[in-house]
Amino acid sequence: MTEIKPDSSEPPRLGGATQIDVARRAGVSTATVSRVLNGSPLVSRASREKVEAAIRELAYMPHEAARSLATRRSRTLGAVIPTLTNAIFAAGVNAFEDEARRRGHALFIAVSNYDPVQEGFLIRQMVERGVDGLLLVGNDRGAEGLEMLVSSGLRCACAWAYDEAAPLANIGFDNAAAMAPLVDHLVASGRRRVAILAGVLAGNDRARARLDGTVARLADHGLAPVAVAETLYSIRRAKEAARALLEVGPDAVVCGNDVIALGALAAARAAGLGVPDDVAITGVDDLPISAEMDPPLTTVRIPAEEMGRRAAAELIAAIKEDRPVSSIRLGTRLVVRRSSWRKPGAS
Amino acid sequence: MTEIKPDSSEPPRLGGATQIDVARRAGVSTATVSRVLNGSPLVSRASREKVEAAIRELAYMPHEAARSLATRRSRTLGAVIPTLTNAIFAAGVNAFEDEARRRGHALFIAVSNYDPVQEGFLIRQMVERGVDGLLLVGNDRGAEGLEMLVSSGLRCACAWAYDEAAPLANIGFDNAAAMAPLVDHLVASGRRRVAILAGVLAGNDRARARLDGTVARLADHGLAPVAVAETLYSIRRAKEAARALLEVGPDAVVCGNDVIALGALAAARAAGLGVPDDVAITGVDDLPISAEMDPPLTTVRIPAEEMGRRAAAELIAAIKEDRPVSSIRLGTRLVVRRSSWRKPGAS
DNA sequence: CGCGCCTTTGTCTGCGCTTTCATTCGAGTG
DNA sequence: CACTCGAATGAAAGCGCAGACAAAGGCGCG
C-alpha cells in the first residue's frame, strides 16, 4: 500500500518534470509558468522569480514536441542535401546550422545521395516533422514534389543556384554565368583545346548549368569543347574519367567542381602530363585544399558559407515576418592559380 | 453569412488535414486511421483500403509532434559534433544519417565548434527536442553535463573514441593505440628525429590520446619527440604551425590528423624540403584526398563510415530493445604511402 | 437457436504545452 | 468614497495523435 502523495512526489528523473510540477512548486498556475518560459512581460517580478527557482530546483526542461503541437511552430529548420561528403556542401550546411542555432532554431538534416526520388521522400518527411523552413539544393525537382511544397505553405530556400525563373526562392549564384570568366581566362592564356569533365547531369541543374555555361562561353570565342565527359563526384571516379579524357589531348580540362578537378590533377600526374604546361586544369568551389595542391588549383570561388548563413537568416526572417522567402543572388569569383598559368602569348 | 459546413469542408491546404478528416472521409474512427498508419494487424482489409484512399485524396500527412507527444518517442536521433568542415566528421555523420534514416529515424544535427560549453548547451537542447538517442564525439565533457545525460536516461553513444573507463558507451577506436603501428613504421624505416604536430588538446581527448600514444610508443623505442606543437584544425593554420616545427629539423612529422598533415605537406613543399627524403609526414584519418596527394600521405585509417553506421544501428537497437547502449570497439589500420617511404637501412 | 469467443471497431482520455478569456486585485480618479 | 481602469493571474480549452477499454459483429459449437 505505498501511496504516492501527488504534491510531494519528485519527478522520477531529471528533466522528467512538467510545467504542472513547476507551477505547483512555485505556487502559481501553468499559464504563469508558460509566460515566464516565453518571456512574456505580463508577469510580476515576484512570480517570475518563484518560477525560475522552481525550474532550477526541479531541473525542469520544456517539452518541445508539446510546444510545437500547441504553437504550430517547431523552431526547427530542415536541410535536404545531396551529400555531406563533399566539403562544399558540408561547409554550407555547417554555416546554415550555425546561423539557425544562433537564431534559436534546431536543424534536421537529410542526405539524398543525389537521388531525386529519395529527395522527394525526404522533403515529405521534413514536412511531417513540421519544420518551419527548408533548405534545398538546386531547382531540379519533379512537379509533384514541387506542388506539395508550394501548397503546404512551407517556407523554402533553394541554394546553390540562382535562376529568375525558379519556382521557389533561390539563394545562390548563377552556375552558368560563373563559368564565363574562367573560360575567358583560359582562352586569353592561349588554351584552345578545352575538354570538359562535368559532374552527374541527370537531376542536377547546377552541373548542367556549369556545362552549358562553359560551352556557351567557348562558343562566344568561336570554340567548341574537344571532349565532354561526365563523372560521379569522387576523386577516384573523376581520376578514372579524366584519364580517358586526357587521351584526347586537351590543353585544358574544365571540371564541374574541385573534387573532380582534384581527380583530374591526379590523372594528369599519373599520365606524366605537366600541369599547367601540358594541360590546364580548373575546378569550381575553391575548397581549402585546392589552394594547397601542387600545383594550386585555378577555380571559381563559391560563397558556400555566406550562402548557408544567409539562407538560414532569410528563412527565419520570412517565418517571423510571415512573408514569402526572398531570393538572394550571390556572386562568384574566378581564382587564378598555377594549375592554369601559361606565359602570355604561348600557344 | 458564409457558413462553413463542418462535414464538407476540405482542409485549407494540402497536408493540412488531420486524422479526424481522414476518419470522416473514410467513414471510420480515428482509432482505425491510427491503426492503419501504424501498420496494426487488427484492421480489416476493407477498412484499410478505405482509409488509404482517404489519406491519398486528402493528401493527409501525420503530424509528428503530436505523435511524439502521445507516444513519448520521437523517432529522432541527434548528433552533436565539433564541426562538419572536417571531411572525416562529415563522412561519419553522413553514414550515421543514412543508417538512421533507413531505420526510420530523422536526424537533428548541431555543431559545437570544439567548444565544451557550447556542446553542453547543445546536448541540453537535444534532450528538450526529445531525441531518442544521441551521438557525441569523444569522452571529454564536464561532470554536470554528464550527470544530466545519465539521469535523463537518454541513450547516448560517444564515437571517435574507445575507452574502457568511459562513463558512456563508446563506439569507436583507441586513439592512443592507433598511433603505435605508425610510430613503429617510422622508427623501423630509420626515422629518429620525430616531431609531433597535434590538434587542439584542450577539451579534446582524442587529440590528447593520439599525442600521448605517439610519445609513449616513441619511448618504447627509447626515443623522445624532438618537438611538439599544437594547431587548430585547418590546412592553413597547420601549414603555419608546421613551418615553425620544420625549423627544428625533424626527419618525421607525426600529425594529429590528415588535415593537419596536408598543411604540413604544404609547409614542407614551401620550405623546399623533400617528402619523404628529407622529412616523413604522416596523418590520421585517411581522407579520400590523402591518397591522391603528391606524395600520397601515409596515415592511419579511421573507419568513420562504419562508425557512424554502427552507432546509429546500435542506438536504435538499444531504444527498441529497451536496454543500455553497448560499446563497440573498432579497429584502425596503418596505411603506408610514399610520404613516409625510405629505403631500408638509410639514416 | 442460443451461447461464447475472436475479430474488428469505436469512444474517450491524456501526452505537455500555449493561449484565450474571465477574474481578481490594487491604484488612481472625479 | 464609489468607480474605472490596468496589471497580474488562473481556469480551461484545445493542438493531433496513440492506446486502453468497451462494444459490436460474425462465427462455430452444442
Side-chain angles (χ1 to χ4, degrees):
Chain A
M1 281 279 262
T2 54
E3 188 160 338
I4 299 169
K5 287 190 293 176
D7 281 329
S8 69
S9 68
E10 290 297 306
R13 52 191 182 77
L14 223 58
T18 75
Q19 244 183 29
I20 295 180
D21 301 317
V22 175
R24 197 142 42 199
R25 177 135 190 159
V28 298
S29 74
T30 62
T32 299
V33 176
S34 176
R35 288 188 189 104
V36 170
L37 251 41
N38 295 298
S40 161
L42 309 105
V43 184
S44 70
R45 179 181 207 80
S47 294
R48 183 181 311 278
E49 282 168 359
K50 277 190 297 181
V51 169
E52 281 166 353
I55 287 175
R56 228 172 300 117
E57 289 158 18
L58 295 173
Y60 165 76
M61 284 181 158
H63 192 301
E64 269 294 327
R67 190 193 299 232
S68 296
L69 185 58
T71 58
R72 318 172 70 47
R73 280 281 168 81
S74 65
R75 308 193 203 187
T76 290
L77 259 37
V80 179
I81 53 168
T83 183
L84 278 174
T85 59
N86 182 331
I88 200 71
F89 286 127
V93 170
N94 198 81
F96 186 76
E97 190 276 339
D98 194 71
E99 191 66 29
R101 183 162 35 72
R102 282 174 203 276
R103 293 167 187 265
H105 286 243
L107 177 61
F108 269 122
I109 210 169
V111 170
S112 72
N113 289 311
Y114 292 96
D115 178 347
V117 176
Q118 179 72 358
E119 193 205 28
F121 180 70
L122 294 174
I123 291 174
R124 188 194 166 84
Q125 295 232 324
M126 289 289 178
V127 176
E128 291 183 1
R129 298 272 171 185
V131 298
D132 293 336
L134 188 55
L135 180 75
L136 299 174
V137 173
N139 290 307
D140 212 349
R141 50 190 57 87
E144 66 298 339
L146 203 60
E147 175 132 9
M148 182 192 73
L149 268 176
V150 172
S151 62
S152 76
L154 178 61
R155 326 266 151 170
C156 199
C158 301
W160 263 272
Y162 189 90
D163 182 349
E164 301 284 357
L168 296 169
N170 275 186
I171 296 181
F173 51 91
D174 184 328
N175 283 278
M179 305 308 289
L182 175 63
V183 172
D184 291 349
H185 155 71
L186 290 174
V187 173
S189 49
R191 312 283 175 177
R192 291 295 178 273
R193 298 180 48 77
V194 178
I196 304 178
L197 186 49
V200 178
L201 300 170
N204 187 331
D205 56 326
R206 290 93 58 208
R208 287 199 305 276
R210 290 179 192 178
L211 172 57
D212 294 348
T214 305
V215 171
R217 193 59 164 193
L218 281 173
D220 290 346
H221 290 285
L223 296 172
V226 296
V228 175
E230 196 177 338
T231 175
L232 292 178
Y233 293 109
S234 82
I235 294 184
R236 186 175 307 255
R237 303 301 284 269
K239 184 177 175 184
E240 292 168 13
R243 188 165 51 84
L245 201 63
L246 287 170
E247 287 174 3
V248 179
D251 61 6
V253 179
V254 173
C255 299
N257 67 18
D258 276 11
V259 170
I260 295 173
L262 261 27
L265 226 41
R269 193 184 301 130
L273 293 171
V275 178
D277 293 339
D278 298 323
V279 59
I281 289 177
T282 68
V284 175
D285 280 348
D286 197 19
L287 302 181
I289 185 69
S290 301
E292 306 297 341
M293 294 301 291
D294 187 24
L297 186 67
T298 291
T299 188
V300 179
R301 178 169 301 161
I302 301 304
E305 193 190 315
E306 185 189 0
M307 195 159 55
R309 214 166 272 295
R310 297 194 59 179
E314 170 59 19
L315 277 172
I316 292 172
I319 293 162
K320 284 232 170 81
E321 299 163 17
D322 195 28
R323 59 165 175 80
V325 179
S326 306
S327 287
I328 300 176
R329 177 169 196 165
L330 300 175
T332 56
R333 196 162 65 75
L334 174 65
V335 179
V336 177
R337 298 205 185 95
R338 209 166 63 237
S339 77
S340 67
W341 276 354
R342 175 178 279 188
K343 45 189 175 301
S347 81
Chain B
M1 280 282 263
T2 56
E3 188 160 338
I4 298 169
K5 287 190 295 179
D7 279 330
S8 70
S9 68
E10 291 296 305
R13 51 193 181 76
L14 224 59
T18 74
Q19 246 183 28
I20 295 180
D21 300 317
V22 175
R24 197 141 43 197
R25 177 136 192 157
V28 299
S29 73
T30 61
T32 300
V33 176
S34 176
R35 288 186 189 105
V36 171
L37 252 40
N38 295 297
S40 160
L42 309 108
V43 183
S44 70
R45 179 181 208 79
S47 294
R48 183 182 309 279
E49 282 167 0
K50 278 191 296 179
V51 168
E52 281 166 352
I55 287 176
R56 230 173 299 117
E57 289 158 16
L58 295 173
Y60 164 77
M61 285 181 158
H63 191 301
E64 269 294 328
R67 192 193 301 235
S68 296
L69 186 58
T71 59
R72 318 173 68 48
R73 281 282 168 81
S74 66
R75 308 192 200 187
T76 291
L77 259 36
V80 178
I81 52 168
T83 183
L84 278 174
T85 59
N86 183 333
I88 201 71
F89 286 127
V93 170
N94 198 82
F96 186 75
E97 190 277 340
D98 194 71
E99 191 67 28
R101 183 161 37 71
R102 281 174 204 277
R103 294 167 187 263
H105 286 242
L107 177 61
F108 268 123
I109 209 169
V111 171
S112 71
N113 288 311
Y114 293 96
D115 177 347
V117 175
Q118 179 71 358
E119 193 205 28
F121 180 70
L122 294 174
I123 291 174
R124 187 193 167 85
Q125 296 233 322
M126 290 289 179
V127 176
E128 291 183 359
R129 299 272 169 184
V131 298
D132 293 337
L134 189 55
L135 179 76
L136 299 175
V137 173
N139 289 309
D140 212 349
R141 50 189 58 85
E144 67 298 339
L146 203 61
E147 174 134 5
M148 182 190 73
L149 268 176
V150 172
S151 62
S152 77
L154 178 61
R155 327 265 151 172
C156 200
C158 300
W160 262 274
Y162 189 90
D163 182 350
E164 301 285 357
L168 296 168
N170 274 186
I171 296 181
F173 51 91
D174 184 328
N175 283 278
M179 305 308 289
L182 175 64
V183 171
D184 292 349
H185 155 70
L186 289 174
V187 173
S189 48
R191 311 282 175 176
R192 291 294 177 274
R193 298 180 48 77
V194 178
I196 304 177
L197 185 49
V200 178
L201 300 170
N204 187 331
D205 57 325
R206 288 94 59 210
R208 287 200 305 276
R210 290 179 194 178
L211 172 57
D212 294 348
T214 306
V215 171
R217 193 58 163 197
L218 281 173
D220 291 345
H221 290 285
L223 297 172
V226 296
V228 176
E230 196 178 339
T231 174
L232 291 177
Y233 292 109
S234 84
I235 295 183
R236 186 176 306 257
R237 302 300 286 268
K239 185 178 173 184
E240 291 168 15
R243 187 166 51 85
L245 201 63
L246 287 170
E247 287 176 3
V248 179
D251 61 8
V253 179
V254 174
C255 299
N257 68 17
D258 276 11
V259 169
I260 294 174
L262 262 27
L265 226 41
R269 194 184 302 129
L273 293 171
V275 178
D277 293 337
D278 296 324
V279 61
I281 289 178
T282 68
V284 176
D285 279 348
D286 197 19
L287 302 181
I289 184 69
S290 301
E292 306 298 341
M293 294 300 291
D294 185 24
L297 186 67
T298 291
T299 187
V300 179
R301 178 169 301 161
I302 300 304
E305 194 190 314
E306 185 188 0
M307 195 160 52
R309 213 167 273 295
R310 297 192 60 178
E314 170 59 21
L315 277 172
I316 292 172
I319 293 162
K320 284 233 170 79
E321 299 163 17
D322 195 28
R323 59 165 175 80
V325 179
S326 306
S327 286
I328 300 175
R329 177 168 197 166
L330 301 174
T332 57
R333 196 162 65 76
L334 173 65
V335 179
V336 176
R337 299 206 185 94
R338 212 168 60 239
S339 76
S340 67
W341 275 354
R342 175 178 278 189
K343 43 189 177 300
S347 82

